[in-house]
Amino acid sequence: MISVTWGSCNATPCIPNTSPSGPQGGNFEVTIQGDVFSPPSVNVPRGTTIHWVNHDSMTHTVTSDTGLFDSKNMSEGSNFSHTFSEKGAYNYHCSIHAFMKATIIIE
């Protein structure tokens, strides 16, 4: 397995640092910028913690389509994290801007 760890990243696309890890996850950052989640689809191992960071000047949310997680309102510079312990596909959106959608796939 590969653990993906993101540092501070101001470039698009961000390039992760990767290193071998144990049987479960690591960390992965999804940026919110330009009214999009980037990347819009993520495939990561079980146990990965996803960190969302809002780089937009407007407020956004990270809201699970099934109610599993909800960041509430995130202003510019705010962040939200969730650890995924079960395999599956997790669709989410911004509850303020319904056109903003993305997916986390846990393997």
Side-chain angles (χ1 to χ4, degrees), residues 3-19:
S3 171
V4 180
T5 304
W6 293 75
S8 177
C9 183
N10 294 322
T12 303
C14 291
I15 306 299
N17 298 319
T18 58
S19 60

Side-chain angles (χ1 to χ4, degrees), residues 42 45-46 48-49 71 101:
V42 175
R46 185 171 48 92
T48 297
T49 299
S71 67
K101 299 179 181 186

Side-chain angles (χ1 to χ4, degrees), residues 7 14 20-21 23 29 43 51-52 57 64 73 95 102 104:
C14 291
S21 75
E29 183 175 290
N43 289 34
H51 303 279
W52 289 269
S57 60
S64 164
N73 289 347
S95 63
I104 305 292

Side-chain angles (χ1 to χ4, degrees), residues 77-90:
S78 296
N79 62 70
F80 172 73
S81 298
H82 182 80
T83 301
F84 292 85
S85 57
E86 300 294 326
K87 293 181 179 184
Y90 299 87

Side-chain angles (χ1 to χ4, degrees), residues 61-93:
T61 72
V62 176
T63 306
S64 164
D65 289 0
T66 63
L68 179 64
F69 54 87
D70 185 6
S71 67
K72 305 295 183 207
N73 289 347
M74 295 173 57
S75 59
E76 182 177 14
S78 296
N79 62 70
F80 172 73
S81 298
H82 182 80
T83 301
F84 292 85
S85 57
E86 300 294 326
K87 293 181 179 184
Y90 299 87
N91 296 313
Y92 65 96
H93 61 280

